[in-house]
Every structure is written in structure tokens, then in C-alpha cells.
Amino acid sequence: MMNKIEIKNVNLYYDKFQALKNVNMVVPENRITAFIGPSGCGKSTLLKSLNRMNDLIPGCRIQGEVRLDDENIYGEMDVNQLRKRVGMVFQKPNPFPMSIYDNIAYGPKTHGIRNRTELDEIVVGSLQAAAIWDEVKDRLKKNALSLSGGQQQRICIARALAVEPEVLLMDEPTSALDPISTAKIEDLVLELRNTYTIVIVTHNMQQAVRVSDRTAFFLLGEVVEYADTDKLFSVPRDKRTEDYITGRFG
């Protein structure tokens, strides 16, 4: 099993506040890695460090290395190229206020694809990959904001897939959705694992158990424990992990 991402001695500060403390971990290729832990423990912060979304936050400093296919993303790497390779899906569905078609074609167009036939193929392929093609194929000119929350989130996943990323980051992608939409997204995530490396932040421990291969438990900016999901939940090595997963805190 190859490692897609390697995180080495990462410390991250927002001005004087240290949000991540000496994080070291590897993310295996074509697997689903879940980050769990109480609110404000650093899991979303680390997720956003993997495609340099934290660069956009004033006063944010990062030390250490994040290596994608053994290249440090904080070195010479072009940020636009990085974000093409490492896509992101956010907590709240955030489709652009434009047609379903234009939402999906947006990324490929910004990367220089103008040919209509090629764009059509990308749009259809991405919507199929995000398991929403059958629901929207007759409504591609409709505004994406007219869809339900669960459909909007799958449109956002299709939009991320349209630029052919290698890694998909998902920041609590189902926390704003109902149980049926959540189940659809979870099924989708399991299917996408064959093609992409996926890192998912979740508040829902059952979700981590259902979809992930490996789980990292965060507390106060540190990775307390990182192991195969079934191991971490059945025989946690650290008392703090056990207390969290048995509901004693958090």
C-alpha cells in the first residue's frame, strides 16, 4: 500500500495560538482516512493544511512538511496545481449560483478546457461519478441552488471531481444533511475510494466506523492515536481515545 500524503512535524499557529502540535502521519493511497475528535481539536485545521486553504487566513503560520507523492506542498509547488490535485468538499453545500452544468464545467474551464464536447463529457462523467446524474440529467440548465441539500452536496462533489483530483478532502460533508442524504453520500464515498484517496473529517463516530479504513483521533491540536479504524474503535491504545469513543467526554 502506497502512501499518498506524508505529514511531518507539522505545527500550525493562528497568530499566537497553536492549533496543531507536532503532527506526524501518513495517508495511504486509495483508502479513506477519517479524522475524529471534539470541536476545536485541530482536525479541520489539518485537513485544510493538505491543500493550503489555511494560506487564506491572516496570521496563519505553518512549520514542517506536507508531502504529496513525496513533494513538499509548502515548497515550490504551484497552489493552483495543488488545489487541482487535492479537491475539497465543505460542510455546507456551496454550489455556485449558476446552472448545474456550469457548476461542473467551471473548474475544467479555469484550467483551460474550452471544447464543448470535452466539457459535456466531463460534466456527464462527474455527475455520474457523484451518483446524481439520473436525478439531474433533464435539468442541467436549472440553477443548482434549486436542488435539495443532499443533491447540492453531491453537485459539490461532482464539481470537485471534474478537475480530476487525486485526493478528495471532505470537511464534515454530511453534517448539514438528513439521514437519507447522509447514507447516499456515504455510499458514494465508499465507491470513490477505488479512484481517489479520501480524507474525511467527521463528528459522527459511527460514520467513521462505516466508511473509513484508518482513523486519527485528535485532541487539543495533537494526534492522540492513529490506527486502522476497526482497531482504534475496538482496542484503543490510549485511555483518552477510549474515553472519547465511549462517550465519557466530547
Side-chain angles (χ1 to χ4, degrees), residues 216-233:
F217 168 56
F218 287 74
L219 196 58
L220 302 172
E222 292 180 52
V223 176
V224 171
E225 190 165 342
Y226 179 44
D228 288 346
T229 298
D230 47 3
K231 270 212 186 88
L232 184 127
F233 282 96

Side-chain angles (χ1 to χ4, degrees), residues 138-150:
D138 303 322
R139 302 191 271 167
L140 295 180
K141 290 191 170 69
K142 278 243 169 82
N143 192 312
L145 297 173
S146 66
L147 299 171
S148 73

Side-chain angles (χ1 to χ4, degrees), residues 52-151:
R52 293 184 55 175
M53 290 295 275
N54 287 317
D55 288 17
L56 307 169
I57 299 170
C60 178
R61 290 184 294 123
I62 189 162
Q63 300 164 345
E65 289 187 13
V66 176
R67 302 189 78 83
L68 175 65
D69 289 338
D70 215 27
E71 185 184 352
N72 183 13
I73 69 169
Y74 287 92
E76 300 295 300
M77 194 179 286
D78 176 303
V79 174
N80 290 327
Q81 272 309 107
L82 169 65
R83 293 196 187 131
K84 181 179 187 295
R85 293 174 63 190
V86 183
M88 183 111 188
V89 176
F90 297 91
Q91 188 168 355
K92 282 204 166 69
N94 60 344
F96 302 136
M98 49 175 80
S99 73
I100 294 168
Y101 183 99
D102 288 338
N103 260 276
I104 313 303
Y106 184 87
K109 279 181 182 167
T110 59
H111 291 289
I113 296 174
R114 291 280 180 270
N115 179 304
R116 183 68 194 210
T117 314
E118 202 176 339
L119 286 171
D120 287 351
E121 279 174 13
I122 291 169
V123 169
V124 174
S126 304
L127 290 168
Q128 285 172 335
I132 191 163
W133 170 248
D134 289 341
E135 293 164 57
V136 300
K137 60 176 188 254
D138 303 322
R139 302 191 271 167
L140 295 180
K141 290 191 170 69
K142 278 243 169 82
N143 192 312
L145 297 173
S146 66
L147 299 171
S148 73
Q151 289 174 321

